[in-house]
Amino acid sequence: MTERTPPMSSNRPYLLRAIYDWITDNQLTPYVLVDATVEGVRVPPQVIKNGQVVLNLAMRAVASLELGNDFISFQARFSGVSQAIRIPVQAVLALYAQENGQGMMFPAEEGDTPPPAPGPDGPGPSGEGPDKPKRSPHLRVVK
C-alpha cells in the first residue's frame, strides 16, 4: 500500500511576498498586474482597462497592505477618494519593479481561467490610458 502525500497549497502567495520584498529592498516600486475578471477582485471600475489593472503597491502609495495567502488587500486613493482594494492571489498575473520591469509573471493555476489578452490601448505603468508613453515591462523568471 502506497501512502499518499497530501496536496500542497499554492506557492503563489509565498512568491508574491518574496518578490515584493526583493523589489522594495532594492528601493524600487512594486507594481502588480491583476486580472480584474477573476471573481472576488475589488478595485474601482474606472481603473480597469481591457479586463486588467496595474496597481502601485509601494508603501507611499498604499496603507494597511496585507499580502495574505488568499488575498492582497490595502487602502489606496483614486481621484482623491480612499478605496478598500481586495485582490485574490490567483488574480495576480505579474509582480514587477516599475523602474526596470524585473519581477515575475504568474501562470494560470489549475482551475483558473486564462487571462484576457491585453488590447492595443492597455494601461501604462501607472494604470492610466494610452496618453503616457509606454514602456513594456521586461519580466524574467527569477529562480
Side-chain angles (χ1 to χ4, degrees):
M1 195 169 186
T2 307
E3 288 192 38
R4 300 192 79 187
T5 305
M8 292 182 68
S9 60
S10 171
N11 65 2
R12 189 176 297 212
Y14 302 93
L15 293 171
L16 285 169
R17 287 188 290 269
I19 298 300
Y20 177 87
D21 287 345
W22 175 65
I23 290 169
T24 58
D25 285 353
N26 283 281
Q27 288 80 47
L28 298 175
T29 310
Y31 273 49
V32 64
L33 174 63
V34 177
D35 178 355
T37 65
V38 171
E39 188 176 337
V41 171
R42 195 167 63 205
V43 297
Q46 71 269 19
V47 300
I48 299 171
K49 304 281 191 241
N50 300 314
Q52 298 180 341
V53 63
V54 176
L55 299 167
N56 179 347
L57 294 184
M59 292 309 290
R60 67 184 176 277
V62 302
S64 305
L65 177 64
E66 289 188 37
L67 299 171
N69 286 344
D70 297 315
F71 289 93
I72 296 172
S73 61
F74 56 91
Q75 295 283 119
R77 296 181 85 72
F78 296 89
S79 302
V81 178
S82 183
Q83 304 270 340
I85 305 302
R86 188 169 165 98
I87 302 162
V89 294
Q90 70 267 21
V92 175
L93 301 174
L95 179 60
Y96 61 95
Q98 184 266 336
E99 294 82 356
N100 61 18
Q102 290 190 25
M104 180 177 270
M105 293 183 69
F106 294 91
E109 291 183 339
E110 192 173 309
D112 286 353
T113 55
D121 295 328
S126 66
E128 295 175 7
D131 297 342
K132 288 196 161 255
K134 292 183 188 175
R135 229 182 57 179
S136 61
H138 300 286
L139 300 177
R140 68 176 131 171
V141 176
V142 177
K143 293 184 180 183

